[in-house]
Amino acid sequence: TQLLEQSPQFLSIQEGENLTVYCNSSSVFSSLQWYRQEPGEGPVLLVTVVTGGEVKKLKRLTFQFGDARKDSSLHITAAQPGDTGLYLCAGGRGGDMRFGAGTRLTVKP
Amino acid sequence: DVKVTQSSRYLVKRTGEKVFLECVQDMDHENMFWYRQDPGLGLRLIYFSYDVKMKEKGDIPEGYSVSREKKERFSLILESASTNQTSMYLCASSGLAGWSYNEQFFGPGTRLTVL
């Protein structure tokens, strides 16, 4: 079983729609990161959240860290084809960091 | 522009062969990591290193070994490749302080097929 469960596993939407993807765990994390991975490339960091309840915005992307620091969500407003990719969450506990399996997002023009 | 490079993008090997995957970073990072990525399983940590000549086992070290003789280079070795080691291998590096918080910079990956 995954330490971090991401849902949904796959998501296909039309350009302009809004979406939310989730990252859940039964464990408490000291930090949580979101990465995006495009085909043929390694993951690239989007954001790090460290405080329970923290909300960070990156243009059309909104990241939230749960109050108990066990879960996180990523909301995309008015999705664009350039948002297509694999979205990975990664939780940090002390010196460890573990990744979820990812949500594969496809945004159709 | 920061960079993590991996020696090969694609590699095909036969069962039983010894396989070397090389990773080089130019950011003077202390920490380096090797992951494998499989569909539905995400990134799983194989080994990591927080200093030259130091190494720590990750979640799935069996069948692998590593070498870090220089700060910028971290090698993953498959002593006797098996078909269940067919996967995408990703190398990453990160800076020192509070390293679980720090951004990990990834290479483009090596897709290894073992026949």
Side-chain angles (χ1 to χ4, degrees):
Chain A
T1 50
Q2 293 278 344
L3 182 62
L4 286 157
E5 297 286 343
Q6 291 191 245
S7 61
Q9 190 175 357
F10 299 95
L11 186 58
S12 181
I13 60 171
Q14 293 294 135
E15 182 176 2
E17 291 183 18
N18 300 332
L19 67 114
T20 302
V21 298
Y22 301 92
C23 175
N24 295 301
S25 177
S26 57
S27 299
V28 175
F29 294 103
S30 52
S31 67
L32 198 134
Q33 297 180 332
W34 285 92
Y35 289 78
R36 182 170 68 206
Q37 185 178 18
E38 298 186 18
E41 302 296 330
V44 176
L45 181 70
L46 296 173
V47 77
T48 300
V49 285
V50 298
T51 305
E54 183 176 1
V55 176
K56 279 193 175 178
K57 293 196 173 187
L58 187 67
K59 296 183 181 178
R60 294 176 294 100
L61 278 60
T62 302
F63 304 86
Q64 185 159 8
F65 200 14
D67 290 341
R69 305 211 313 274
K70 293 182 180 181
D71 53 80
S72 181
S73 63
L74 159 59
H75 181 80
I76 302 179
T77 304
Q80 298 177 2
D83 296 326
T84 292
L86 179 67
Y87 288 82
L88 295 158
C89 67
R93 296 184 299 180
D96 281 347
M97 177 154 283
R98 294 296 184 268
F99 283 81
T103 292
R104 189 166 295 282
L105 172 65
T106 302
V107 182
K108 294 183 246 183
Chain B
D1 197 20
V2 298
K3 215 162 189 180
V4 178
T5 56
Q6 296 184 227
S7 50
S8 306
R9 295 297 294 266
Y10 299 94
L11 210 51
V12 180
K13 295 292 182 181
R14 298 212 172 269
T15 302
E17 281 193 77
K18 191 168 186 175
V19 182
F20 292 87
L21 303 181
E22 303 284 338
C23 175
V24 178
Q25 51 97 1
D26 65 0
M27 294 165 280
D28 201 33
H29 280 166
E30 285 73 13
N31 307 306
M32 296 188 75
F33 309 83
W34 275 106
Y35 296 89
R36 62 177 285 177
Q37 184 175 27
D38 300 287
L41 297 177
L43 276 70
R44 291 181 290 167
L45 183 63
I46 305 171
Y47 268 97
F48 62 98
S49 168
Y50 52 85
D51 202 353
V52 176
K53 296 194 185 293
M54 305 299 287
K55 60 185 179 185
E56 296 286 341
K57 293 180 179 179
D59 294 329
I60 50 165
E62 295 78 20
Y64 303 95
S65 62
V66 290
S67 172
R68 191 156 180 213
E69 296 296 317
K70 293 185 177 181
K71 189 176 185 180
E72 67 272 16
R73 189 179 297 269
F74 192 34
S75 302
L76 180 69
I77 303 148
L78 286 66
E79 295 290 342
S80 177
S82 63
T83 54
N84 63 13
Q85 291 178 310
T86 291
S87 186
M88 170 70 85
Y89 289 87
L90 289 163
C91 174
S93 71
S94 71
L96 180 63
W99 64 275
S100 71
Y101 296 72
N102 280 358
E103 177 177 3
Q104 292 193 22
F105 293 87
F106 285 84
T110 295
R111 186 165 292 283
L112 172 67
T113 302
V114 183
L115 301 175

